[in-house]
Amino acid sequence: MASSSSMPPPPLVKDEQSRNWSELPPELTSSIMLRLGAFEILENAQKVCRPWQRVSKDPSLWRKISTDSLLNYIADRSSNLRSLGLEMSYPMTSNGLVNAVAKLPLLEVLELYETWQNLDLKAIGHSCLKLKTLKLNCSGSMPSQFKSDDDDALAIAKSMPELSHLRLIANRLTETGLNAILDNCLHLEHLDLRCCLNINLSRDLEKRCLERFR
């Protein structure tokens, strides 16, 4: 009787055909991409096939963009972008944001969250001449940063005259900055100044706001 050591190894089991990645359900493809970094999606995953390219455009995959270089990479390839929302987390910088939006001449909506750093809003306004909506949420700022400061408001007043919607959450502006915005942003229809603790509306300024906004 021959020993078992002389028996040939079992044949290898092979797929009858190579896997077709384009046939994966979109939900599974999206789940795969969520495990990848943004750079891997842009440079590799979206190039696998057309269905993967379509899935790569799902906004849920782009909730976090954390570097200047990646933001500029996207701006270079999205010159027709009309709406941009970002959480300004480290290591993203104000200069990186300015350089990116300068490549987005059609931008109409800009939403920035956790804006703990000083932003060059004047440069942003001069780059985005079609900007209609600006939303800045500074609720992540340190308490020491809530001293009076009208820099943001004056930059908006000087560089964003076409705004129709403005939201400044926890900003440091005062009545001076608010008056500048009202004087220069003549198309403004909606104004949200929640948690702006340095504004004490005078009777005349309150009346002006009530007459101007719904």
Side-chain angles (χ1 to χ4, degrees), residues 10-77:
L12 295 175
V13 177
K14 297 182 179 181
D15 292 333
E16 294 182 0
Q17 59 182 6
S18 60
R19 182 182 299 277
N20 188 345
W21 294 101
S22 66
E23 295 180 353
L24 288 178
E27 297 80 6
L28 180 55
T29 303
S30 179
S31 178
I32 293 172
M33 290 190 182
L34 282 171
R35 290 166 171 76
L36 302 176
F39 185 82
E40 286 80 8
I41 295 175
L42 290 168
E43 285 295 315
N44 299 306
Q46 71 163 345
K47 299 177 182 178
V48 171
C49 55
R50 288 185 178 180
W52 279 49
Q53 186 180 50
R54 287 195 293 269
V55 173
S56 72
K57 297 179 181 179
D58 186 342
S60 65
L61 297 175
W62 303 102
R63 289 176 180 169
K64 294 184 178 180
I65 300 175
S66 58
T67 64
D68 289 349
S69 58
L70 179 56
L71 179 57
N72 274 280
Y73 180 99
I74 294 172
D76 284 334
R77 290 155 178 79

Side-chain angles (χ1 to χ4, degrees), residues 134-135 156 163-168 181 188 190-192:
L134 177 66
K135 298 180 180 181
I156 291 169
L163 284 182
S164 58
H165 292 71
L166 176 61
R167 176 184 295 172
L168 299 175
I181 290 173
L188 203 60
H190 299 273
L191 179 63
D192 186 347

Side-chain angles (χ1 to χ4, degrees), residues 2 22 42 69 93 96-97 102 110 114 129 137 144 149 152 188:
S22 66
L42 290 168
S69 58
T93 66
L97 176 63
L110 179 61
E114 303 300 332
L129 300 179
N137 188 332
S144 60
D149 186 345
D152 287 349
L188 203 60

Side-chain angles (χ1 to χ4, degrees), residues 8 15 43 57 61 71 81 109 120 151 164 187 203 206:
D15 292 333
E43 285 295 315
K57 297 179 181 179
L61 297 175
L71 179 57
L81 195 68
V109 178
D120 192 345
D151 286 351
S164 58
H187 302 288
R203 180 174 300 178
E206 182 179 13

Side-chain angles (χ1 to χ4, degrees), residues 121 147 163 185 213-214:
L121 293 174
K147 59 183 180 180
L163 284 182
C185 300
F213 304 112
R214 287 176 289 180

